Amino acid sequence: MLTVAFASYALGLLAALLVAGSLSDHIGRRPVLVGSLLVELGAMFMFVFAPDIGWVIAARTVQGIAAGAATSAFSASVVEHAPEHHKKLGTIITSIAPAGGLGLGALLTGVAVQFSGHASVIVFTALAVIMAVGTGVAAFSAETVSTRPGAVRSLIPRISVPKAARREFAASIPVHMAASMLAGLFMGLVPTIIRDLLDLHSGLLNGAMVFIQPAAAAVAWTDLRRPSSISPRR
């Protein structure tokens, strides 16, 4: 059931990315961000009051849909709001934020589990507050694009790969699949493995173990984005 709960988020995320990925180009960044954050806020309340695993799976699905709808709008908004001389920094921030946020969230959740008997309430209430603040910030932020027709048509998924990039795209698929499977193993099952196979019952240890993989990804991505980290071949 843990793997189902984990997968439900990914499925909702991918579906929303395919359907709503370009919606903000037509109706604006701000409406998409505000709507997505409100749905995320609703998902946090579903987690807090979930009576069983079925509600947790439903909440994870709703959370994934909201995250997928907000991802492209958030990335574009950050870059568009950045001053001209900081555009590259905006791109780096939007690239490392998902991995860094996952790692930090896992670590803090481990702390809550270790030192509190009400970890679920603490974690999801804190996230609900963050979503509410984020909604307010998005609502009062400046719009960076003008509305244009075609919003409904943009919801129809269109998937294509430029001919010049198809070979590299096909070659990268196994790498991305392996990386995603490794991330899924760490975030979804490592705490259970530590408890059942090693007989170690520590929320802090669980959180630290889950923290390692996305934190390493965020650090690696930050380093690789620097121009000096890529040397030309001789």
Side-chain angles (χ1 to χ4, degrees):
M1 296 306 293
L2 284 174
T3 57
V4 172
F6 185 86
S8 63
Y9 172 86
L11 293 174
L13 176 74
L14 290 172
L17 282 170
L18 287 172
V19 174
S22 60
L23 181 62
S24 68
D25 294 333
H26 298 271
I27 67 174
R29 313 295 187 212
R30 188 166 54 188
V32 173
L33 288 173
V34 170
S36 299
L37 287 166
L38 287 174
V39 175
E40 287 273 15
L41 180 60
M44 296 306 108
F45 284 115
M46 291 175 67
F47 280 121
V48 171
F49 298 105
D52 52 46
I53 188 62
W55 276 90
V56 171
I57 293 172
R60 286 284 289 171
T61 304
V62 172
Q63 182 188 20
I65 292 172
T71 296
S72 59
F74 171 77
S75 300
S77 182
V78 169
V79 174
E80 290 162 356
H81 275 100
E84 192 62 35
H85 58 287
H86 284 316
K87 294 292 185 184
K88 184 175 293 186
L89 177 61
T91 302
I92 293 174
I93 290 173
T94 59
S95 299
I96 67 174
L102 281 172
L104 184 61
L107 186 61
L108 294 178
T109 298
V111 172
V113 171
Q114 182 73 29
F115 299 106
S116 171
H118 306 282
S120 294
V121 175
I122 292 173
V123 169
F124 292 115
T125 299
L127 287 173
V129 172
I130 293 172
M131 298 302 170
V133 172
T135 302
V137 171
F140 289 100
S141 65
E143 183 57 76
T144 56
V145 297
S146 301
T147 58
R148 58 189 176 92
V152 176
R153 186 177 298 176
S154 73
L155 299 177
I156 302 173
R158 293 179 177 86
I159 303 173
S160 63
V161 179
K163 187 176 182 179
R166 288 175 186 173
R167 183 176 179 181
E168 289 78 7
F169 179 82
S172 71
I173 290 175
V175 178
H176 285 292
M177 289 181 64
S180 298
M181 291 169 68
L182 179 63
L185 173 66
F186 262 83
M187 289 183 283
L189 295 177
V190 159
T192 303
I193 293 172
I194 291 174
R195 183 192 65 210
D196 293 345
L197 297 184
L198 303 180
D199 197 28
L200 297 175
H201 301 269
S202 170
L204 188 58
L205 177 62
N206 290 342
M209 289 299 298
V210 177
F211 165 80
I212 291 173
Q213 190 269 340
V219 171
W221 184 254
T222 303
D223 184 66
L224 290 173
R225 290 294 296 182
R226 294 184 303 175
S228 59
S229 66
I230 304 176
S231 301
R233 293 182 178 178
R234 295 183 182 274

